[in-house]
Amino acid sequence: MDILDIIDKKEKGEKLTKEELQYTIDNYLNGTIKDYQMSAFLTEIDLLGLSDEETINLTDIMLKSGETLDLGFDNIVDKHSTGGVGDKTTIVLAPLVASLGVKVAKMSGRGLGHTGGTIDKLESIEGFKTSMTLEKFKKQVSDINIALVGQMGNLVPADKKTYALRDVTGTVDSIPLIASSIMSKKLASGASSIVIDLKVGSGALVSSLDEAKELASIMVKIGKCYNKKIACVLTNMDEPLGYAVGNSLEVIEAINTLKGKGPKDLTNLVINLGTQMVSMGLNISEKEAEEKVKENLYNGKGYEKMLEWTIAQGGNINSIPVSKNTKIIKAPKDGYISSINALEIGKLSRKLGAGRLTKDDEIDLTVGIVLNHKVGDYVKKGETLLTVFYNEKEITDEEILSSFKFNDSVIEKPKLIIDIIK
Ligand code: URA
């Protein structure tokens, strides 16, 4: 077998056998196949796709390229988001469902996004520790139903190496590569049920609905091959989620949401994803699960679990520093907001220092943007549109205002939950 023949076979549109995929991944990991050859291979997949069978085989090979975690619980529910601007959902959902008896043993990333990943966000709570031994992790899940850390163990090394290459070779947006990357990691981390928040729109990994449905259906198929309960919730990511974008600002919004005082869209998303997680985790109907989720969102039990969780991981919830330097941006005219470009708001937050361009960049947890309005709202000229929290790095009013569009007539509020594929 030879990588050139494999690339050639793919180029001709022929299906690859599991042995050929195994050969490619093994030899890329051991350095025999070079980055430029792997890049040609990934580009062929990006252009021509993979069959479902090839994608399932690739996922299995990636999954078995490293360790897999057995946490010793048989009812762990994991939630994954494909990433979006202002996405602080995990910080609300994890304690909320844990307060209902669902076990959440989660590994999250720092991410190269416009703001940090969940781990960075949690570190904006003073003292919050995001690493611990496997023994402590298991004990915490057993004691209080929830633990969340950065990556542990050598899970899916094949994804680490190929994802880094995809990132610099324009092959991140291939549906079969995304599916095998996400699913191999979810399967390796020991959950029995998986809920995926698949974002669709301008601020998301996948911008078209057709592609999102294709991705959801192959991920569900892969999950079922491993006897996992799995649901993919397709959600709109054309405008930022909630009002806050930036690490500590998002944590504060997440905490307010757990107190029942969150933005409508975030609250709605939490209820929808939480319903799936609780229904799978407790083996109850979605109707019953939804009632339980709403109850603990509004009776303070979800927030109490957040406090317990924060203390268990060394954090002080009363200390979440936010920059004192603020600048208010006002509406330039009267009208209905017809769009707030999530991607642009994300890029501006990163420019303020809230996110990374390369994995070694330092991020400023205290900066970001807090919107006062969402798409569909009516604003009067001079009214506050948003507040910028900044330190050394600044952004201009023009840069921010170019992310907004206004309309004279009424604009319908976008639908957040687009579809649920199971
Ligand atoms: N997130 C992942 O984990 N993998 C991808 O390929 C894309 C997004």
Side-chain angles (χ1 to χ4, degrees):
M1 226 179 277
D2 170 324
I3 184 64
L4 296 183
D5 290 340
I6 292 173
I7 295 172
D8 211 31
K9 191 171 172 190
K10 193 73 237 167
E11 202 177 352
K12 288 186 189 133
E14 290 172 34
K15 280 193 190 159
L16 299 179
T17 63
K18 189 162 185 184
E19 289 68 35
E20 286 162 335
L21 290 166
Q22 183 85 55
Y23 170 91
T24 308
I25 296 295
D26 286 350
N27 285 289
Y28 181 52
L29 273 181
N30 72 22
T32 309
I33 293 176
K34 306 293 175 206
D35 275 353
Y36 51 84
Q37 294 170 314
M38 192 63 176
S39 161
F41 174 76
L42 295 169
T43 303
E44 288 304 337
I45 295 180
D46 193 15
L47 293 173
L48 299 170
L50 288 179
S51 68
D52 285 1
E53 190 186 349
E54 288 172 305
T55 309
I56 291 167
N57 284 338
L58 178 62
T59 309
D60 194 59
I61 293 163
M62 306 243 291
L63 164 65
K64 291 173 181 159
S65 68
E67 289 170 47
T68 51
L69 276 188
D70 179 4
L71 297 169
F73 305 100
D74 57 9
N75 57 346
I76 299 229
V77 180
D78 199 357
K79 172 253 169 194
H80 179 82
S81 161
T82 56
V85 178
D87 188 5
K88 67 283 289 175
T89 318
T90 295
I91 301 169
V92 189
L93 261 178
L96 181 60
V97 303
S99 75
L100 289 163
V102 172
K103 296 230 176 294
V104 182
K106 189 161 168 51
M107 275 175 283
S108 276
R110 291 194 183 276
L112 273 181
H114 310 297
T115 58
T118 300
I119 288 297
D120 299 297
K121 289 175 193 175
L122 286 169
E123 283 177 353
S124 54
I125 302 173
E126 193 188 279
F128 198 104
K129 290 188 191 59
T130 54
S131 63
M132 61 179 86
T133 61
L134 184 58
E135 276 56 48
K136 176 158 191 294
F137 185 72
K138 286 188 193 172
K139 180 161 186 335
Q140 193 174 308
V141 176
S142 166
D143 291 348
I144 65 167
N145 288 342
I146 177 169
L148 196 151
V149 291
Q151 293 308 319
M152 244 188 332
N154 183 26
L155 306 189
V156 201
D159 182 62
K160 266 185 211 118
K161 196 165 176 190
T162 45
Y163 194 81
L165 186 64
R166 285 168 59 207
D167 208 24
V168 292
T169 54
T171 50
V172 167
D173 59 359
S174 148
I175 301 294
L177 295 179
I178 298 173
S180 53
S181 161
I182 293 177
M183 289 306 295
S184 57
K185 285 178 291 199
K186 293 290 109 182
L187 294 167
S189 60
S192 43
S193 306
I194 303 163
V195 175
I196 295 176
D197 178 7
L198 207 173
K199 308 280 190 196
V200 192
S202 75
L205 183 65
V206 186
S207 54
S208 98
L209 183 56
D210 285 347
E211 277 184 341
K213 286 189 171 167
E214 191 186 331
L215 177 57
S217 90
I218 181 67
M219 288 198 290
V220 167
K221 214 170 192 175
I222 295 169
K224 288 188 176 162
C225 287
Y226 293 84
N227 293 322
K228 304 289 176 191
K229 293 185 200 168
I230 176 164
C232 260
V233 183
L234 272 53
T235 66
N236 182 300
M237 186 30 80
D238 278 325
E239 66 174 333
L241 182 65
Y243 292 102
V245 181
N247 301 281
S248 46
L249 297 166
E250 290 188 36
V251 173
I252 292 167
E253 184 164 87
I255 291 169
N256 286 334
T257 305
L258 276 167
K259 290 178 175 170
K261 293 182 287 187
K264 266 204 189 115
D265 58 347
L266 176 61
T267 304
N268 181 7
L269 181 62
V270 162
I271 292 171
N272 273 277
L273 295 172
T275 297
Q276 296 299 327
M277 292 173 80
V278 171
S279 163
M280 289 176 182
L282 301 184
N283 222 354
I284 57 176
S285 71
E286 284 184 22
K287 187 167 176 292
E288 206 183 328
E290 184 178 341
E291 278 163 18
K292 283 180 179 285
V293 167
K294 285 183 178 161
E295 203 176 310
N296 277 21
L297 188 59
Y298 295 111
N299 67 8
K301 296 239 170 83
Y303 177 63
E304 276 169 30
K305 184 57 77 177
M306 171 93 203
L307 284 177
E308 199 181 4
W309 170 37
T310 306
I311 292 167
Q313 295 200 209
N316 173 5
I317 209 156
N318 298 313
S319 179
I320 306 174
V322 167
S323 173
K324 293 201 170 43
N325 306 312
T326 57
K327 173 163 87 163
I328 287 175
I329 307 291
K330 298 190 166 156
K333 57 195 231 176
D334 292 357
Y336 292 91
I337 300 177
S338 59
S339 91
I340 305 174
N341 188 312
L343 182 61
E344 289 309 315
I345 295 286
K347 285 184 182 166
L348 290 170
S349 305
R350 181 160 64 196
K351 204 166 169 190
L352 288 167
R356 301 180 178 84
L357 262 179
T358 71
K359 72 178 174 31
D360 299 321
D361 286 351
E362 285 267 318
I363 62 175
D364 184 342
L365 297 171
T366 69
V367 300
I369 291 171
V370 177
L371 306 171
N372 274 45
H373 291 284
K374 302 281 292 188
V375 169
D377 287 356
Y378 182 79
V379 288
K380 284 200 109 26
K381 183 175 175 184
E383 205 179 306
T384 300
L385 208 49
L386 59 90
T387 305
V388 180
F389 293 75
Y390 65 96
N391 278 322
E392 298 85 44
K393 298 174 190 157
E394 289 192 50
I395 48 180
T396 66
D397 295 18
E398 292 69 34
E399 280 178 302
I400 298 168
L401 288 172
S402 64
S403 313
F404 284 77
K405 285 200 181 116
F406 299 89
N407 203 329
D408 289 336
S409 46
V410 177
I411 294 287
E412 214 178 300
K413 292 243 177 212
K415 195 170 159 216
L416 182 70
I417 310 294
I418 303 168
D419 204 353
I420 299 181
I421 296 177
K422 298 211 267 190

